[in-house]
Amino acid sequence: MEPGIIKKLDEVVVNRIAAGEIIQKPANALKELIENSLDAKATHVQVTVKSGGLKLLQIQDNGTGIRREDLSILCERFTTSKLKKFEDLSNIGTFGFRGEALASISHVAHLSIQTKTANESCGYKALYENGQLKGPPKACAGNQGTIITVEDIFYNMPQRRQCLKSPAEEMQIICEVVSKYAVHNSNVAFTLKKYGEPPSLRTVGHSSCKENICNIYGSQIGRVLLPIELEDDIHKFKMTALVTKVDYSAKRGIMLLFINHRLVESTALKTAIDGVYSTYLPKGMHPFIYISLEMASTQLDVNVHPTKHAVHFLYEDEIIDKIKRRIELKLLGSNASRTFYKQLRLSGIPNTDSEYDDKGAKIKHNDKERIDKDRVRTDSKEQKLEKFLLKQGASGQVVKTNSTTLGNMTEESFSLLIPRSKVQLTSIKNMQENIERRLNVTLRKTLKDLVFVGVVDKAYALFQQETKLYLCNTLKFCEELFYQRLIFEFQRLAHIKFEPSLSIKNLVEIALDSEEAGWSPEDGDKLELAERASNILLEKAPMLREYFSLHISKEGQLETLPAILPQHYPCSTHLPLYILRLATEVDWDSEVECFETFCRETSQYYALISTLELSSQPQRHKWLVEHVLYPGLKRYLLPPNSLKQHLYELSSLSRLYKVFERC
Ligand code: ADP
Ligand code: MG
């Protein structure tokens, strides 16, 4: 066979092929046009679409406009006002820089541009085909800004046209692009509409990203967003993000990722974040994520793909890892209530109280259905674990009280209280932030990956992490855990109910009779003291009930205690002393001190294990440590440095190997 003859391709064909790489569907063209409007400092951007952009795609802005003298070369390839020499590439402050978008569009569609700058008295309208101006621009009236009209896209590329999705699907993709830009550019007013119809999307231009998310993606998402900020000097980047709490999940995850204000995609980052959420969300469900990353443009390569969708950046792995850890921490600190809620739900205990949403509004029937539906745990694996826990709990007889006056705390009476109103008190917020600030990240990692080995005695247990074996003071760790849960679950705690309720006066009297109370006759009459203590607590009862689910009735009866960790019940032997100490040790006068001392007293009490119960039910204690306390530490505790002194590294496999090598 004769060799083929090599010929230079016709320039129009070359350009059309090149254009087809940049503009693969109407939404690609639209993205370029929106970026041009933003580069031109527009504050209003209106997008009009006919037939999913296949017939018409029009974008009108109030930006700088285009100078009349530039109109002739505007649509030639590689004409740009944004980049002059190659070195500029390393310092791009605009979206565009290659001067390819308009040229490409003119090769695959009918393109017309109407524009007016501030300096000119009238506007001009120009038509383009295959990169060339068709006839001289015509003068026309108009406001400052630019209207770009793209019609019959791919009219000259029938194969490409055939590959497009249906107009409805293309419209959906267009809508996604506009939505994302509208959220990120909350200072710009965006409108999207189908030709001849009222707008389907409209933002006002002086709102916040969060407001725009509410507006566009729905207040159900808006209500559960957690703001996250991260600034890193080592890898030189800054992140602001809004991510949904684990209360929310959807079949179709939504991720808005902007790097240096450019809408991009990063599979690596998406996978990392999905990994964080997978521990919380049912299988196959995803969060809503908005992330804006900023880094030096020298660190970022946007010239990877013709559509500029994919980017490479320096320290990609490290940056992704840091973002992942930050999100993990945030979720850990704020979202445990849902799991708790779910676990209680799964225990089959009916919830008789009214339900309230995050803002304290009573959930309407419709809303309720939706929220309940979202809360269903669908992962069969997790279900099995829950059942296992429950079975063990029941056979291990939850808590046996050793005094009839103390009544019973049983699983049956463990009912659920949904938060009433969520006042975000600054004092509590500060306390939460303090906990986050004190966090020792290495210690957190040790806990996160721990594998429980066994109980040593009342205070200590062994666990393993990677190749290391640790001896851990369970009491000290749990004390901090209960303290943190009280603060993070402020106003959202479930409760443990006493049936029958207990008289606090009696409890204080019992406490005063005990040695630990250290009562001496100089302290005054026991009955009087009990009366006084009970009055103090009665006065604080509404606050204790509202904030910490500790309910003392008007008659002075203790009705409920906070349920801090599912399946965990504080020991009844120490209850009287706890109540006495609440009256005497809590600093009731100032808000911060009051919360602080209350939470410390309560967490100390919850961490106590009664010697009596320990000797009468050693198996129950072991079960509790392994299946309740350590899973709790593993999941929730943000360990401060100070806990390091209560954790001993006993052996490390790698060091043992070294010893063997020497032998
Ligand atoms: P690039 O954005 O890479 O420079 P484009 O082909 O997208 O290339 O645009 C070419 C030039 O046209 C831009 O550099 C800019 O000067 C001008 N331009 C395009 N769209 C607009 C607009 N909406 N407002 C003002 N100028 C625009
Ligand atoms: Mg451009």
Side-chain angles (χ1 to χ4, degrees), residues 32-33 35-36 39 82 95-102 308:
E32 292 290 336
L33 297 175
E35 290 183 348
N36 279 348
D39 278 343
K82 300 165 195 172
F95 293 109
F97 55 84
R98 296 191 293 216
E100 275 190 301
L102 289 180
K308 291 183 267 178

Side-chain angles (χ1 to χ4, degrees), residues 343-354:
Q343 280 166 343
L344 289 168
R345 266 288 157 92
L346 281 169
S347 334
I349 294 146
N351 164 31
T352 46
D353 289 296
S354 305

